[in-house]
Amino acid sequence: CFAHLPIFLASPELRKQVIQSSRGARTLLYEEVLYTILHRLGKPELTHVADPDELYTYVQKAFNMDPEEHDILLQRVKELEKPIFCLKATVKQARGILGKDVSGFSDPYCLLGIEEKTRDSSSSGGSRQENKKRSKAVVKNLLPEDQTHRTQIISQTLNPVWNETFILYVLDSDDDVETVRHKLGELTDLHGLKRIFKEARKDKGQDDFLGNVVLRLQDLHGRDDRWCRLEPRTETYPNRGHCHLQFLFMHKRRATSASKTQPSYTVHRHLLQQMVSYELLRHQVGSTSWNGELSKHASTILYLHATQKDISDFHQVMAHWLAYSKLYQNLEFDSSCLLHQITSIEYQWVEGRLRQEQNVELADSFQCLLAYGISLIRKYQIVFPLSAPNSTKKLQSLLRLLVQMCKMKAFRELCTETPDLQEMVTEALKTGTAEWFQMKKQHLKPMVKVSVCVCVCVCVLGSGFVSFLSREGQLELTNYHQWFKEAIPKWLQKAYTIALERTQRAIQVDQLTPLGELNKHSTSTVDLSTCYAQMVKTWQQLDWPDPEEAFMIMVKFVEDICKIALMYCRLIKTRAEELSSKKHKEGEAANRLCVVVNNIEQLRMMILKLPSQLDWARLEQKTGAVIAPEQIQHTLHHQLQATVTCLNNEIRGVVQTLASKLHAGIARHIQELYTCSASRDPEDVSIGMPEQTIFSSLLELLWNHTLDMLKEAAKQQLGNLAYFKKLQCALKNLERCFHGEGCGLPEDTLHNATFTALEEELDLCSSTSRKLIQKYFSARIQQQASPEKYGAVTIKALYRHSEQKLRVEVLNAVNLLPLDSNGLSDPFIQLTLEPRHEFPEVMTRTTQCIKNNLHPLFDEVFEFLVPPKKCQQDGTCLLLTVFDYDTLGANDLEGEAFFPLCKVLGLSEDEEAINPSRVPQTRLSLTHPGTAGAEILKLLETRKGDKEAQAFVKLRRQRAKQSRETERQQEQQ
């Protein structure tokens, strides 16, 4: 019997049986823990235990180890060979570094290494000065080349991303003067005269220093993730950016038997299970107050072991799940402890990351927990008795756990047959109830003479209820509703009285102000909606079985709801008059009347929803044999329609009152507006004009005036992204207000030329910098170039899905401009994928330089590793920039060509159906930076704090300058 399980667990024999496994396996695991504590490395976390003696005392209790045996095993572990201490360093990225090239960018890379400083130098009198000098030195000047690690070079960027990991060996973990040195450098990659001058001033091959980071090993935690400031060697450029680094102290070649014979993940799971068992039994036996949180001692040991063994976060979460789910089937604690584990597995799940045996192990844990959970539900009368506190909450927690587990991607992929959980729970409830009833029947059989028993079972499932009533044999229950028949009228009257009083109180405190920008009704409608919802829920729960009596109850419900609606209209108008009498401002009184109209309209919408909410169709079907359809139509539908008609009349009355209050103000504004905007006398215009026409003309004038004000505000706030987003939202709200759901200006009047231009301008100005850059390239792609004024290039482009590669073949260029004094050029083509923020890891490619030729033949192939989704985004393109190579000066611009990546062959077609040898040639006209995208560049230029925007504008301005120089050369020739 499940209810007695905690009592059995209280016995000392069972406690030892739960904690202790086989003696040999326990000893190996205990040695592993002692070895982990003994060879701890890294600065302790603030929430962890720093004293090793405390940890030794804790594990001695957790493993139920005698003091003598503990001392023997600890001495044995101390005699084992030390592990190889390693520092796993990951260089993630850098941001805001210096630009060392003429382009304003750099080609950065990183050098890493561990420097072991001698004790003699540290104890000498000049150690402080030496430390200061060494902290500003370059890594490659301090460490041998075989002890230095180097990342890849990221070309032309100020925010490089590496994501490269290195293993650095620590020679002596007790030496507190070791440091991790991290240096950013760049390859010199300049052209022309500037490069010659620069190389004349420095040694050939010297890379530019960008920054230095010095970290002491004793200051690093076991796991460390930090942004480090790049320090300068001089104070010339003190702000050199930051670098993102991750560190992990780990062991290699651990000497324990468990590490040699078992996988790291398996040892960690066994250790975790031992800790969780001990933590659970430390709490009061039989109590479910444990929330699954481990003590700081257990957390410290598990953290050290996972770090030293380099166990991934996902495998740690999986170990927690396997340990907790297994213990849940043996020890009693709240099932909500498991929800966090399955949520973490779902978040980090990637198909194929586990070995086959681990997949089987995880699938078995799912199946076992599902079977165990269904067995608890089957005996829910005993395991979750209603007389016990929090039984319903515990059952809900279990059901929530099972539902979430069955929804997991890991569950669906690993478990071959996906179960129907709802069907399993329903069957378990039915079977378990029948078994429970038979048990009770057998228990009570000698005490009764008449074998008539009733069983009504209601089980809470998640957010709703699943109710069923067994009607087999002795369990049938009939005419039970007759017991409540006499109380129904009084009960309905009580419900009506409570709803009426609540509505009256809501109106008394209503200030008739809108709830928000989008909700134009006031607080009283919210309370009224709640009253109606409770009445509808009452009807649904009542579910009266007698059809004729159910119809009479429905009539009473509808009558009460309609009476409350009409009473609300009367009281809310009185409330508006009461508030207006205290404040004499004409505008505020008009606003309150507008809220009254919206309140009544909201009430009308609630009334119209009643037939579906009260399920009149089901009632008509249920009463079809006793009540004619005409009677239902006459009684229910006519009553509802009459109420809706009254509400419509109330709305018209309030609108007329509002019109009378605003009549003088409207006439005055019409007079002023027509005086300012029309050449004729306003009184002449108004004579004989219908009132509706006057109102429409006024609205149209106000609308155009509002658009002009928004345009003026936009000019004054150029570059303010947040302000333009607010203006954009304000324009939409104004459009909705002036349209008035069809009661105001028509849409064709609203959407005039001024509105369209303003909407496009606001949409452009409210875009982020990256979106603006994409729009710039879209504009350049759509640019109408003159027919090959600057020449053309011919390429072939094909995308291969199997390799996720874009293959570009540059064939030739024709009709190029002669930019050299000999009447020819030395052309080469630079290929980049734009925008750069979409392809940060794709390097720029360059063709060979063809000397003295205006029609060069290249025949070169380039491949770019890019995902297909990136190529299908708006504005992504292949930029081909043709330069004339200049030995002494800067390279001259021949022209640019933009090829949209969305048009690449193979991107949307089947790869097998494409013959690579028949890829069509594409001829692209060369263009120069013109007016296309100029407005976008102005917007980007106003965003001074955005480095990415400024760098892009700087590059495009440089291209425009090169274009002007090219045009000037052509004019001179």
Side-chain angles (χ1 to χ4, degrees):
C1 179
F2 288 91
H4 297 291
L5 180 60
I7 299 177
F8 293 145
L9 287 179
S11 62
E13 292 80 6
L14 187 56
R15 288 171 62 89
K16 290 184 179 180
Q17 182 180 354
V18 171
I19 294 179
Q20 296 179 359
S21 57
S22 65
R23 186 171 186 83
R26 185 178 67 119
T27 301
L28 293 179
L29 192 59
Y30 194 71
E31 289 180 351
E32 181 76 12
V33 178
L34 296 179
Y35 194 86
T36 299
I37 300 173
L38 180 63
H39 297 294
R40 181 178 190 170
L41 197 61
K43 182 180 179 181
E45 301 283 349
L46 294 177
T47 57
H48 287 175
V49 178
D51 188 1
D53 293 333
E54 287 189 37
L55 298 179
Y56 287 140
T57 303
Y58 173 81
V59 297
Q60 186 177 345
K61 295 178 181 178
F63 281 78
N64 196 23
M65 193 69 64
D66 296 332
E68 295 80 7
E69 190 174 3
H70 166 78
D71 294 338
I72 295 173
L73 293 176
L74 180 59
Q75 183 60 33
R76 183 192 305 174
V77 169
K78 290 181 178 179
E79 295 174 356
L80 294 176
E81 182 182 359
K82 289 184 178 181
I84 297 178
F85 297 101
C86 300
L87 180 65
K88 183 178 180 181
T90 300
V91 184
K92 300 292 289 184
Q93 59 181 319
R95 63 188 180 195
I97 65 175
L98 293 179
K100 290 286 188 173
D101 292 349
V102 293
S103 63
F105 295 97
S106 293
D107 302 327
Y109 64 91
C110 294
L111 296 177
L112 297 94
I114 293 182
E115 177 197 359
E116 181 183 8
K117 191 168 63 173
T118 61
R119 297 187 183 273
D120 294 337
S121 63
S122 64
S123 61
S124 62
S127 60
R128 293 185 179 179
Q129 184 68 19
E130 180 69 17
N131 289 338
K132 184 175 181 180
K133 291 181 179 180
R134 297 169 71 87
S135 65
K136 294 185 177 182
V138 182
V139 173
K140 64 183 180 182
N141 296 333
L142 291 178
L143 301 178
E145 186 175 355
D146 58 347
Q147 298 180 19
T148 303
H149 300 268
R150 173 172 171 165
T151 67
Q152 296 292 325
I153 299 173
I154 308 299
S155 299
Q156 294 299 289
T157 180
L158 300 181
N159 301 289
V161 177
W162 288 286
N163 280 327
E164 296 187 43
T165 301
F166 305 93
I167 303 297
L168 310 177
Y169 290 93
V170 182
L171 299 180
D172 186 0
S173 63
D174 296 328
D175 188 357
D176 61 352
V177 296
E178 296 156 352
T179 58
V180 178
R181 295 196 172 268
H182 172 83
K183 182 258 177 186
L184 286 175
E186 75 157 349
L187 291 178
T188 304
D189 187 14
L190 304 176
H191 298 284
L193 190 60
K194 293 183 179 179
R195 177 173 183 172
I196 295 176
F197 290 161
K198 190 171 184 179
E199 290 183 349
R201 293 195 304 266
K202 66 178 183 178
D203 296 336
K204 187 176 180 66
Q206 177 75 30
D207 294 344
D208 293 325
F209 176 82
L210 293 181
N212 197 46
V213 174
V214 179
L215 300 173
R216 298 167 63 90
L217 291 188
Q218 65 177 8
D219 295 334
L220 297 178
H221 297 285
R223 287 177 181 266
D224 216 313
D225 190 322
R226 60 174 68 182
W227 280 90
C228 302
R229 182 175 181 270
L230 295 176
E231 300 293 340
R233 284 188 295 186
T234 64
E235 300 302 325
T236 306
Y237 297 103
N239 186 12
R240 292 176 171 264
H242 296 78
C243 187
H244 186 193
L245 304 173
Q246 291 178 347
F247 300 104
L248 173 71
F249 282 115
M250 55 179 291
H251 290 173
K252 283 192 175 183
R253 282 183 19 197
R254 289 166 66 99
T256 60
S257 300
S259 296
K260 292 180 178 180
T261 58
Q262 301 179 41
S264 300
Y265 160 76
T266 303
V267 177
H268 186 75
R269 181 167 60 85
H270 291 162
L271 176 59
L272 172 64
Q273 191 164 336
Q274 185 74 21
M275 297 291 182
V276 174
S277 302
Y278 174 70
E279 291 285 330
L280 180 58
L281 292 178
R282 285 178 61 191
H283 288 69
Q284 182 180 359
V285 177
S287 171
T288 58
S289 61
W290 188 56
N291 60 359
E293 294 291 335
L294 298 175
S295 67
K296 62 178 182 179
H297 296 82
S299 300
T300 302
I301 294 172
L302 292 171
Y303 168 86
L304 292 175
H305 188 263
T307 302
Q308 295 173 8
K309 304 278 282 186
D310 193 16
I311 299 176
S312 67
D313 293 338
F314 177 76
H315 282 86
Q316 292 183 52
V317 171
M318 182 176 166
H320 274 75
W321 161 258
L322 294 175
Y324 277 67
S325 62
K326 184 175 181 179
L327 287 172
Y328 178 71
Q329 302 172 45
N330 297 284
L331 303 175
E332 184 183 11
F333 59 91
D334 193 352
S335 58
S336 62
C337 300
L338 298 171
L339 279 175
H340 173 70
Q341 314 303 335
I342 62 174
T343 303
S344 299
I345 292 178
E346 177 71 3
Y347 179 74
Q348 302 182 43
W349 177 257
V350 177
E351 185 178 2
R353 74 184 305 172
L354 297 178
R355 297 192 300 270
Q356 180 61 30
E357 60 272 16
Q358 293 176 342
N359 285 332
V360 173
E361 191 175 27
L362 187 57
D364 290 343
S365 70
F366 290 151
Q367 297 289 1
C368 291
L369 185 65
L370 178 61
Y372 180 71
I374 294 299
S375 69
L376 293 183
I377 295 174
R378 184 171 179 175
K379 295 178 172 58
Y380 75 96
Q381 294 94 341
I382 302 173
V383 182
F384 307 103
L386 295 178
S387 58
N390 298 327
S391 289
T392 301
K393 182 179 179 181
K394 297 174 188 175
L395 181 56
Q396 287 179 337
S397 177
L398 174 61
L399 290 169
R400 189 178 300 111
L401 171 65
L402 296 180
V403 169
Q404 294 299 327
M405 184 180 70
C406 292
K407 289 181 179 179
M408 295 172 61
K409 295 191 291 290
F411 184 91
R412 296 195 301 267
E413 293 174 6
L414 299 181
C415 301
T416 55
E417 296 182 1
T418 304
D420 188 340
L421 183 60
Q422 183 174 359
E423 182 179 349
M424 294 175 66
V425 171
T426 303
E427 185 62 28
L429 289 173
K430 292 181 178 180
T431 305
T433 301
E435 293 175 353
W436 177 80
F437 171 70
Q438 292 297 331
M439 181 185 68
K440 290 292 185 181
K441 180 181 177 181
Q442 293 296 329
H443 181 65
L444 299 174
K445 189 173 184 180
M447 303 172 58
V448 297
K449 296 182 178 180
V450 182
S451 57
V452 178
C453 299
V454 177
C455 177
V456 180
C457 303
V458 180
C459 177
V460 181
L461 289 179
S463 60
F465 295 91
V466 175
S467 305
F468 69 92
L469 183 66
S470 177
R471 301 184 179 276
E472 298 181 1
Q474 299 174 346
L475 297 181
E476 186 174 2
L477 185 65
T478 59
N479 294 327
Y480 63 90
H481 63 284
Q482 296 294 336
W483 305 340
F484 309 96
K485 184 176 180 180
E486 295 182 1
I488 286 295
K490 297 180 180 179
W491 186 62
L492 292 176
Q493 183 61 34
K494 184 66 174 177
Y496 168 73
T497 304
I498 294 176
L500 190 64
E501 293 175 352
R502 184 172 180 178
T503 303
Q504 291 173 343
R505 289 195 302 270
I507 294 175
Q508 291 173 1
V509 300
D510 195 347
Q511 297 300 316
L512 293 180
T513 56
L515 289 174
E517 294 182 359
L518 300 180
N519 298 320
K520 299 303 180 182
H521 49 270
S522 60
T523 57
S524 58
T525 56
V526 178
D527 293 307
L528 183 60
S529 175
T530 304
C531 292
Y532 280 2
Q534 291 177 347
M535 296 178 74
V536 169
K537 186 177 181 180
T538 299
W539 165 257
Q540 295 172 347
Q541 292 179 335
L542 185 61
D543 196 16
W544 197 258
D546 185 272
E548 190 171 1
E549 294 174 355
F551 174 73
M552 299 305 298
I553 295 174
M554 176 62 72
V555 172
K556 174 63 175 172
F557 256 102
V558 176
E559 180 182 350
D560 291 346
I561 290 176
C562 293
K563 287 167 61 178
I564 293 174
L566 297 177
M567 183 273 301
Y568 175 83
C569 292
R570 185 177 68 257
L571 294 181
I572 199 67
K573 291 192 299 182
T574 304
R575 177 63 176 169
E577 294 175 358
E578 177 185 346
L579 293 175
S580 298
S581 63
K582 298 178 182 179
K583 300 179 180 180
H584 302 287
K585 292 184 179 180
E586 181 180 324
E588 293 181 357
N591 289 337
R592 278 190 288 273
L593 287 178
C594 292
V595 173
V596 170
V597 172
N598 292 329
N599 285 0
I600 300 177
E601 173 63 17
Q602 187 74 8
L603 175 59
R604 189 180 72 90
M605 298 300 297
M606 288 189 285
I607 293 294
L608 291 175
K609 293 179 181 178
L610 287 178
S612 60
Q613 292 177 342
L614 297 175
D615 202 356
W616 283 6
R618 179 171 175 268
L619 179 64
E620 292 180 9
Q621 183 180 4
K622 186 177 180 180
T623 60
V626 292
I627 299 177
E630 295 80 8
Q631 185 177 357
I632 295 179
Q633 180 73 23
H634 178 76
T635 307
L636 295 179
H637 291 276
H638 284 187
Q639 185 178 15
L640 193 68
Q641 188 59 42
T643 304
V644 172
T645 302
C646 291
L647 294 179
N648 289 334
N649 293 333
E650 293 287 350
I651 293 175
R652 292 192 187 94
V654 177
V655 171
Q656 290 176 358
T657 304
L658 177 62
S660 64
K661 288 182 177 296
L662 296 180
H663 180 75
I666 292 176
R668 184 173 61 255
H669 285 296
I670 291 176
Q671 179 72 24
E672 295 174 355
L673 288 170
Y674 273 100
T675 301
C676 298
S677 60
S679 59
R680 292 182 296 172
D681 186 3
E683 294 184 359
D684 296 338
V685 178
S686 301
I687 293 175
M689 184 180 293
E691 186 175 353
Q692 181 63 32
T693 306
I694 295 176
F695 187 66
S696 299
S697 301
L698 171 63
L699 282 181
E700 188 171 355
L701 287 172
L702 289 174
W703 174 243
N704 291 328
H705 182 62
T706 302
L707 294 179
D708 292 338
M709 288 192 298
L710 288 177
K711 289 181 63 178
E712 187 64 27
K715 293 179 180 179
Q716 297 176 1
Q717 295 289 333
L718 190 64
N720 191 338
L721 179 63
Y723 185 82
F724 276 101
K725 288 186 179 294
K726 292 180 180 179
L727 278 184
Q728 201 173 30
C729 181
L731 180 62
K732 295 298 180 183
N733 290 336
L734 287 170
E735 178 190 2
R736 186 163 50 249
C737 293
F738 274 86
H739 183 59
E741 296 185 357
C743 301
L745 293 177
E747 290 186 354
D748 55 348
T749 303
L750 291 171
H751 296 172
N752 52 27
T754 305
F755 173 83
T756 303
L758 178 60
E759 190 176 39
E760 292 177 354
E761 182 177 353
L762 292 181
D763 180 63
L764 183 65
C765 294
S766 62
S767 300
T768 61
S769 297
R770 292 191 170 185
K771 286 186 178 180
L772 288 175
I773 293 174
Q774 288 179 307
K775 289 182 179 180
Y776 173 83
F777 284 108
S778 297
R780 291 299 306 272
I781 292 173
Q782 299 172 3
Q783 181 181 9
Q784 295 294 333
S786 57
E788 299 187 4
K789 176 182 177 181
Y790 304 102
V793 294
T794 304
I795 65 170
K796 289 183 179 181
L798 174 65
Y799 188 84
R800 296 175 176 174
H801 279 276
S802 59
E803 302 176 359
Q804 289 201 347
K805 286 184 178 180
L806 171 64
R807 186 179 187 272
V808 179
E809 184 177 356
V810 182
L811 299 178
N812 58 26
V814 296
N815 301 329
L816 298 180
L817 299 176
L819 299 179
D820 290 345
S821 57
N822 59 2
L824 298 174
S825 291
D826 303 329
F828 68 94
I829 300 179
Q830 187 181 83
L831 294 85
T832 56
L833 296 185
E834 299 289 350
R836 296 301 300 163
H837 63 260
E838 293 291 348
F839 308 97
E841 299 179 0
V842 180
M843 298 178 60
T844 301
R845 309 294 178 84
T846 305
T847 67
Q848 59 181 338
C849 180
I850 308 298
K851 297 288 185 178
N852 300 323
N853 203 321
L854 298 180
H855 307 280
L857 181 64
F858 295 101
D859 279 340
E860 296 186 47
V861 178
F862 303 91
E863 291 186 341
F864 302 89
L865 183 62
V866 290
K869 290 184 178 180
K870 292 285 187 180
C871 299
Q872 295 170 346
Q873 295 183 5
D874 294 336
T876 57
C877 63
L878 171 66
L879 172 58
L880 299 102
T881 309
V882 183
F883 290 103
D884 168 39
Y885 180 76
D886 200 340
T887 304
L888 296 179
N891 297 323
D892 299 323
L893 177 67
E894 288 276 359
E896 297 175 315
F898 299 84
F899 181 63
L901 296 183
C902 60
K903 294 184 179 181
V904 174
L905 184 66
L907 194 62
S908 57
E909 295 86 0
D910 187 4
E911 183 176 353
E912 297 181 356
I914 299 175
N915 187 350
S917 61
R918 297 185 179 180
V919 177
Q921 298 182 2
T922 302
R923 188 180 178 110
L924 303 173
S925 299
L926 294 178
T927 64
H928 276 219
T931 58
E935 184 179 356
I936 297 176
L937 290 179
K938 290 181 180 178
L939 283 174
L940 290 171
E941 195 170 17
T942 59
R943 301 182 179 180
K944 301 298 183 183
D946 192 336
K947 293 185 178 179
E948 187 173 1
Q950 295 303 310
F952 179 78
V953 171
K954 181 179 179 181
L955 179 61
R956 298 317 305 173
R957 297 298 187 205
Q958 183 180 1
R959 287 286 185 271
K961 182 179 179 181
Q962 291 176 320
S963 174
R964 291 192 297 270
E965 292 177 355
T966 300
E967 295 286 352
R968 186 166 56 253
Q969 290 184 21
Q970 290 295 303
E971 292 176 359
Q972 293 175 356
Q973 292 179 2

